[in-house]
Protein backbone atom coordinates (compact mmCIF):
# COMPACT_ATOMS: atom_id res chain seq x y z
CA UNK A 1 0.00 0.00 0.00
CA UNK A 2 1.30 3.44 -0.88
CA UNK A 3 0.72 6.57 1.14
CA UNK A 4 -0.16 10.05 0.00
CA UNK A 5 0.99 13.23 1.71
CA UNK A 6 -1.42 15.54 -0.10
CA UNK A 7 -4.25 16.74 2.14
CA UNK A 8 -7.63 16.89 0.41
CA UNK A 9 -10.84 18.63 1.46
CA UNK A 10 -12.51 15.21 1.81
CA UNK A 11 -9.93 14.18 4.45
CA UNK A 12 -11.73 16.14 7.17
CA UNK A 13 -14.70 13.77 7.14
CA UNK A 14 -12.53 10.70 6.52
CA UNK A 15 -10.30 11.42 9.53
CA UNK A 16 -13.31 12.15 11.73
CA UNK A 17 -14.85 8.81 10.80
CA UNK A 18 -11.61 6.84 11.19
CA UNK A 19 -10.68 8.30 14.57
CA UNK A 20 -14.25 7.86 15.83
CA UNK A 21 -14.41 4.27 14.57
CA UNK A 22 -11.33 3.27 16.58
CA UNK A 23 -13.41 3.72 19.73
CA UNK A 24 -10.44 5.10 21.66
CA UNK A 25 -11.00 8.81 21.54
CA UNK A 26 -13.38 11.20 23.26
CA UNK A 27 -15.43 13.63 21.18
CA UNK A 28 -13.09 16.54 21.99
CA UNK A 29 -10.07 14.46 20.93
CA UNK A 30 -11.76 13.63 17.61
CA UNK A 31 -12.35 17.35 17.11
CA UNK A 32 -8.62 18.01 17.61
CA UNK A 33 -7.68 15.41 14.99
CA UNK A 34 -10.04 17.08 12.52
CA UNK A 35 -8.77 20.55 13.45
CA UNK A 36 -5.22 19.58 12.41
CA UNK A 37 -6.49 18.39 9.01
CA UNK A 38 -8.44 21.63 8.59
CA UNK A 39 -5.31 23.62 9.47
CA UNK A 40 -3.35 21.82 6.75
CA UNK A 41 -6.13 22.40 4.21
CA UNK A 42 -6.39 26.09 5.08
CA UNK A 43 -2.64 26.85 5.27
CA UNK A 44 -1.17 24.36 2.82
CA UNK A 45 2.63 24.15 3.07
CA UNK A 46 2.61 26.88 5.74
CA UNK A 47 0.86 24.47 8.14
CA UNK A 48 2.92 22.95 10.94
CA UNK A 49 1.23 19.59 10.34
CA UNK A 50 2.27 16.91 7.86
CA UNK A 51 0.21 13.86 6.98
CA UNK A 52 0.42 10.44 5.46
CA UNK A 53 -2.86 8.87 4.35
CA UNK A 54 -3.54 5.23 3.51
CA UNK A 55 -6.60 5.27 1.28
CA UNK A 56 -8.74 2.16 1.26
CA UNK A 57 -8.52 0.47 -2.14
CA UNK A 58 -12.00 -1.05 -1.72
CA UNK A 59 -14.02 2.10 -1.06
CA UNK A 60 -13.77 5.81 -0.42
CA UNK A 61 -12.71 5.42 3.20
CA UNK A 62 -9.38 5.75 4.97
CA UNK A 63 -7.47 2.66 6.13
CA UNK A 64 -5.13 4.70 8.31
CA UNK A 65 -3.23 7.93 8.69
CA UNK A 66 -0.44 9.65 10.57
CA UNK A 67 -0.05 13.32 11.48
CA UNK A 68 3.31 14.69 12.53
CA UNK A 69 5.31 17.91 12.58
CA UNK A 70 8.43 19.65 13.76
CA UNK A 71 8.57 20.50 17.46
CA UNK A 72 8.80 24.30 17.67
CA UNK A 73 12.07 25.70 19.04
CA UNK A 74 13.98 22.46 18.52
CA UNK A 75 16.72 21.77 16.01
CA UNK A 76 15.54 18.35 14.92
CA UNK A 77 12.63 17.10 17.04
CA UNK A 78 9.32 15.96 15.56
CA UNK A 79 6.03 15.13 17.26
CA UNK A 80 3.82 12.27 16.14
CA UNK A 81 0.43 13.84 16.83
CA UNK A 82 -1.76 11.02 15.53
CA UNK A 83 -1.40 7.57 14.11
CA UNK A 84 -4.59 5.60 13.64
CA UNK A 85 -5.66 2.54 11.70
CA UNK A 86 -9.23 1.55 10.90
CA UNK A 87 -10.42 -1.34 13.06
CA UNK A 88 -11.03 -3.47 9.94
CA UNK A 89 -7.36 -3.16 8.91
CA UNK A 90 -5.69 -3.44 12.32
CA UNK A 91 -3.23 -6.27 13.01
CA UNK A 92 -2.10 -6.46 9.38
CA UNK A 93 1.02 -4.29 9.64
CA UNK A 94 -0.46 -1.03 8.36
CA UNK A 95 0.40 0.84 11.57
CA UNK A 96 4.01 -0.33 11.33
CA UNK A 97 4.22 0.70 7.69
CA UNK A 98 2.72 4.12 8.50
CA UNK A 99 5.23 4.54 11.34
CA UNK A 100 8.17 3.61 9.10
CA UNK A 101 7.00 6.03 6.39
CA UNK A 102 6.51 8.77 8.99
CA UNK A 103 10.06 8.26 10.22
CA UNK A 104 11.38 8.51 6.65
CA UNK A 105 9.42 11.74 6.12
CA UNK A 106 10.73 13.23 9.37
CA UNK A 107 14.34 12.35 8.50
CA UNK A 108 13.85 13.93 5.07
CA UNK A 109 13.00 17.19 6.86
CA UNK A 110 16.04 16.96 9.16
CA UNK A 111 14.35 15.08 11.98
CA UNK A 112 16.61 13.22 14.39
CA UNK A 113 14.15 12.36 17.15
CA UNK A 114 10.43 11.52 17.13
CA UNK A 115 8.15 11.94 20.15
CA UNK A 116 4.74 10.40 20.75
CA UNK A 117 2.36 11.03 23.65
CA UNK A 118 -0.27 8.57 24.77
CA UNK A 119 -2.42 7.68 27.73
CA UNK A 120 -1.32 5.51 30.62
CA UNK A 121 -4.81 3.98 31.00
CA UNK A 122 -5.03 0.19 30.85
CA UNK A 123 -7.04 0.28 27.61
CA UNK A 124 -4.04 2.00 25.95
CA UNK A 125 -1.70 -0.93 26.72
CA UNK A 126 -1.81 -2.10 23.06
CA UNK A 127 -0.87 1.43 21.93
CA UNK A 128 2.08 1.55 24.30
CA UNK A 129 3.14 -1.93 23.19
CA UNK A 130 3.01 -0.72 19.56
CA UNK A 131 5.39 2.15 20.38
CA UNK A 132 7.76 -0.23 22.17
CA UNK A 133 7.72 -2.63 19.17
CA UNK A 134 8.43 0.38 16.94
CA UNK A 135 11.64 1.13 18.84
CA UNK A 136 10.40 3.90 21.11
CA UNK A 137 11.36 4.19 24.78
CA UNK A 138 9.46 5.90 27.56
CA UNK A 139 11.01 9.32 28.06
CA UNK A 140 8.62 10.70 30.67
CA UNK A 141 5.45 9.98 32.57
CA UNK A 142 3.21 12.77 33.85
CA UNK A 143 0.91 11.33 36.53
CA UNK A 144 -2.78 12.24 36.33
CA UNK A 145 -2.11 14.48 33.33
CA UNK A 146 -5.32 13.91 31.35
CA UNK A 147 -7.48 13.14 34.39
CA UNK A 148 -7.12 11.46 37.76
CA UNK A 149 -5.65 8.03 37.06
CA UNK A 150 -4.86 8.88 33.43
CA UNK A 151 -1.13 9.50 33.06
CA UNK A 152 0.53 11.03 30.01
CA UNK A 153 3.26 8.72 28.71
CA UNK A 154 5.80 10.37 26.41
CA UNK A 155 7.75 8.09 24.09
CA UNK A 156 10.94 9.02 22.23
CA UNK A 157 12.84 7.47 19.38
CA UNK A 158 16.13 8.48 17.79
CA UNK A 159 15.73 8.41 14.02
Amino acid sequence: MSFRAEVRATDTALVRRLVTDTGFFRHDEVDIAVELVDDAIRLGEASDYRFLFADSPENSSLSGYACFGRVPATKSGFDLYWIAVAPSTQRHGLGSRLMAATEVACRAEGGERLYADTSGRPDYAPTRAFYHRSGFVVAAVFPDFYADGDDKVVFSKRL
Side-chain angles (χ1 to χ4, degrees):
M1 176 176 290
S2 62
F3 304 117
R4 68 175 163 86
E6 171 197 6
V7 183
R8 303 173 184 157
T10 55
D11 290 328
T12 299
L14 293 174
V15 165
R16 179 176 297 281
R17 181 175 178 193
L18 173 70
V19 173
T20 300
D21 286 352
T22 67
F24 268 87
F25 303 104
R26 299 183 317 260
H27 179 71
D28 60 320
E29 293 171 317
V30 172
D31 288 344
I32 292 168
V34 170
E35 181 181 315
L36 303 185
V37 175
D38 287 341
D39 182 86
I41 291 169
R42 187 177 69 256
L43 297 176
E45 288 297 315
S47 172
D48 292 330
Y49 306 107
R50 303 290 179 259
F51 291 86
L52 292 174
F53 297 98
D55 296 311
S56 173
E58 293 85 34
N59 55 43
S60 59
S61 67
L62 200 56
S63 294
Y65 90 108
C67 174
F68 55 96
R70 185 176 296 281
V71 177
T74 68
K75 179 182 173 192
S76 58
F78 276 72
D79 273 325
L80 176 63
Y81 297 109
W82 290 88
I83 186 165
V85 174
S88 61
T89 57
Q90 290 177 358
R91 306 216 186 287
H92 297 287
L94 179 56
S96 295
R97 291 191 306 272
L98 267 170
M99 181 66 79
T102 297
E103 292 172 11
V104 167
C106 291
R107 280 193 299 271
E109 291 190 38
E112 296 177 2
R113 189 166 297 275
L114 184 59
Y115 300 95
D117 300 353
T118 194
S119 172
R121 292 189 333 240
D123 56 326
Y124 275 79
T127 302
R128 293 188 303 275
F130 169 76
Y131 287 129
H132 284 294
R133 284 192 312 275
S134 298
F136 284 78
V137 296
V138 174
V141 176
F142 296 88
D144 303 318
F145 183 86
Y146 297 109
D148 284 344
D150 189 0
D151 301 345
K152 175 180 181 175
V153 182
V154 180
F155 286 87
S156 174
K157 181 176 182 179
R158 183 168 293 283
L159 299 176

